[in-house]
């Protein structure tokens, strides 16, 4: 990945996340933060994949970062957490694989389609599991704060 | 105000707050939390709530019976979730009274503060184009994807106004995107049908039900979580069918 590609991908991810926030009518104050969290999640995913970690681990770490970062900003800005993690999740959606699956099913190439179906299921599962892990981090942090008081 | 009237006002406020949050795409745990908080800040300890995605049940520890609030529609307007959250916080620090809180909630339904339509179209374009580049690294098709994604969102928005069945609007929108992509490539405006469609359908992704479904299941709401998962799945299937139908003509 060259520097230009990296810049284009980063700007694209940020723009798309903010724009999706507008489509689900997120308060103006939360748009920029949502975009930054989306960018963070996507970059973690991208670098994990580039470093040879595979797309499952990449999505898991990306989703986990989104979950943890959303809660931090939700606490800081006193806003509901879903305002940040719904748009931030959009760049991780397996759009390409889902499309290839549909296309191959439509064209009758079921073997290829099933390969993509399994990829879609794996990605969706790893995103869900990433959220679970982020919840774990958040609960541990809450417990820690309560004990310090 | 006697005790019974006060309890009635608490129930009304909490139920309305819960209904508005659920209708506009909040997760279940937040609704439960907000409703119990409202009752607690109004001076009632130990209230009970039962929240599902299609209805809310709430009882206070008083003379008054439990009351029901059905949830009949589901749209995505996270601004309202945020406003109810703010009002609840203001009520907690005694900035507004219970009566003011109830009045504000009753007015919240009628005042929709959506982004203007042209900005939504622009946003749909900016979801489609950049994600096409990010996913497929196909820079030459950026502009055509923006335009087609925007037209797809326009179809979705207009149909949603008239027929009000979201799955049908999604189906029609994705079919439109597919047809436009085929036509665009045929006339040399774009290079790859696949890339244009992948980018174009991104604004239609059911992000709210997807995220909430995962969060609800994790929080232990085993009725509402899977129900929302079905909602997301039907949306995805509707988009998929729209595309598949067009691709038969390849």
């Amino acid at each position: 990945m060259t520097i230009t590609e990296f810049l284009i991908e980063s700007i694209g991810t940020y723009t798309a996340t903010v724009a999706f926030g507008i489509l689900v009518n997120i308060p103006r104050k939360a748009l920029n933060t949502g975009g930054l969290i989306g960018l963070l999640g996507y970059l973690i995913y991208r670098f994990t994949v580039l470093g040879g970690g595979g797309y499952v681990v990449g999505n898991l770490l990306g989703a986990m970062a989104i979950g943890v970062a959303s809660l931090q900003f939700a606490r800081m800005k006193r806003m509901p957490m879903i305002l940040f993690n719904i748009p931030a999740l959009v760049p991780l959606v397996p759009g390409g694989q889902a499309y290839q699956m549909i296309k191959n099913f439509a064209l009758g190439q079921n073997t290829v389609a099933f390969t993509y179906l399994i990829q879609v299921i794996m990605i969706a599962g790893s995103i869900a599991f990433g959220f679970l892990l982020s919840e774990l981090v958040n609960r541990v942090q809450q417990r820690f704060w309560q004990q310090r008081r | 105000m006697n005790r019974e009237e006060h309890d009635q006002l608490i129930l009304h406020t909490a139920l309305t707050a819960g209904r508005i949050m659920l209708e506009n795409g909040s997760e279940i745990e937040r609704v439960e939390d907000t409703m119990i908080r409202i009752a607690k800040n109004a001076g009632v300890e130990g209230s009970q709530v039962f929240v599902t995605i299609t209805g809310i049940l709430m009882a206070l520890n008083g003379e008054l019976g439990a009351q029901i609030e059905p949830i009949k529609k589901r749209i995505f307007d996270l601004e309202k979730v945020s406003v109810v959250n703010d009002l609840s916080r203001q009520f907690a620090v005694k900035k507004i009274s219970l009566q003011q809180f109830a009045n504000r909630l009753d007015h919240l339904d009628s005042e929709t503060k959506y982004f203007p339509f042209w900005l939504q179209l622009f946003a749909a374009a900016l979801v489609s184009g950049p994600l096409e580049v990010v996913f497929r690294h196909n820079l030459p098709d950026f502009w055509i994807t923006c335009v087609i994604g925007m037209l797809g969102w326009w179809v979705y928005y207009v149909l949603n106004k008239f027929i009000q069945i979201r799955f049908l609007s999604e189906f029609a929108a994705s079919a439109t995107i597919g047809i436009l992509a085929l036509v665009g490539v045929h006339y040399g405006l774009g290079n790859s049908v696949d890339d244009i469609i992948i980018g174009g359908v991104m604004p239609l992704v059911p992000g709210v039900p997807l995220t909430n479904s995962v969060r609800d299941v994790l929080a232990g709401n085993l009725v509402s979580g899977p129900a929302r998962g079905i909602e997301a799945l039907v949306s995805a299937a509707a988009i998929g069918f729209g595309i598949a139908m067009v691709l038969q003509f390849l």
Side-chain angles (χ1 to χ4, degrees), chain A residues 24-85:
Chain A
V24 290
N25 205 23
I26 277 175
R28 277 142 236 249
K29 285 183 291 179
L31 279 175
N32 181 34
T33 320
L36 290 179
I37 295 175
L39 180 58
L40 172 79
Y42 182 77
L43 285 183
I44 287 179
Y45 157 75
R46 197 78 179 89
F47 281 117
T48 315
V49 172
L50 279 180
Y55 61 90
V56 170
V57 180
N59 277 299
L60 191 140
L61 291 180
M64 189 174 154
I66 290 173
V68 175
S70 314
L71 193 85
Q72 305 308 323
F73 279 107
R75 283 234 181 88
M76 218 168 80
K77 298 200 159 199
R78 296 175 181 277
M79 285 171 143
M81 182 176 164
I82 48 166
L83 300 186
F84 304 116
N85 64 9

Side-chain angles (χ1 to χ4, degrees), chain B:
Chain B
M1 204 191 304
N2 64 25
R3 179 74 201 270
E4 198 165 308
E5 275 172 4
H6 186 64
D7 279 2
Q8 178 57 45
L9 187 61
I10 297 173
L11 270 180
H12 173 75
T13 314
L15 283 170
T16 316
R19 176 176 60 77
I20 292 177
M21 291 178 94
L22 267 183
E23 274 177 356
N24 293 299
S26 172
E27 74 267 46
I28 305 288
E29 202 182 10
R30 168 168 303 280
V31 176
E32 284 173 349
D33 188 55
T34 308
M35 289 173 72
I36 289 180
R37 248 172 234 263
I38 290 173
K40 207 170 170 183
N41 292 330
V44 179
E45 292 283 340
S47 53
Q48 287 116 34
V49 292
F50 175 66
V51 182
T52 69
I53 188 154
T54 49
I56 314 174
L57 199 61
M58 183 178 194
L60 300 178
N61 276 345
E63 315 258 299
L64 235 51
Q67 291 188 9
I68 305 175
E69 183 85 32
I71 316 289
K72 287 195 181 122
K73 58 171 184 178
R74 250 180 303 287
I75 48 174
F76 310 134
D77 181 357
L78 297 180
E79 166 106 42
K80 275 188 192 152
V81 177
S82 174
V83 170
V84 174
N85 188 55
D86 281 349
L87 287 175
S88 168
R89 278 179 192 277
Q90 284 177 20
F91 178 57
V93 295
K94 305 260 183 315
K95 248 189 194 165
I96 53 175
S97 70
L98 188 59
Q99 188 64 55
Q100 279 171 324
F101 191 2
N103 292 344
R104 293 280 290 279
L105 283 179
D106 288 338
H107 286 137
L108 194 58
D109 265 333
S110 48
E111 53 185 62
T112 36
K113 262 204 320 190
Y114 273 110
F115 287 98
F117 183 53
W118 63 265
L119 189 61
Q120 287 191 36
L121 281 181
F122 189 58
L126 283 185
V127 174
S128 311
L131 280 183
E132 184 266 325
V133 175
V134 169
F135 287 165
R136 314 296 293 184
H137 306 283
N138 183 352
L139 263 182
D141 282 354
F142 176 80
W143 295 110
I144 181 76
T145 311
C146 282
V147 172
I148 289 178
M150 191 174 86
L151 290 173
W153 177 263
W154 182 71
V155 169
Y156 169 74
Y157 186 91
V158 169
L159 280 184
N160 228 0
K161 276 238 159 110
F162 288 116
I163 49 179
Q164 287 171 353
I165 305 175
R166 210 175 68 237
F167 306 129
L168 277 179
S169 333
E170 277 163 350
F171 172 77
S174 68
T176 313
I177 290 168
I179 292 169
L180 286 176
L182 281 181
V183 172
V185 171
H186 182 77
Y187 285 105
L189 295 170
N191 304 315
S192 160
V193 179
D194 295 0
D195 294 357
I196 296 176
I197 293 180
I198 290 172
V201 297
M202 284 314 281
L204 303 175
V205 163
V208 178
L210 262 179
T211 316
N212 281 336
S213 143
V214 174
R215 284 187 60 81
D216 282 350
V217 171
L218 291 185
N221 287 300
L222 294 181
V223 175
S224 305
R228 263 207 245 258
I230 294 291
E231 194 185 356
L233 212 62
V234 176
S235 284
I239 297 171
F241 283 137
I243 298 291
M245 204 182 72
V246 174
L247 286 179
Q248 295 286 339
F249 298 108
L250 262 184

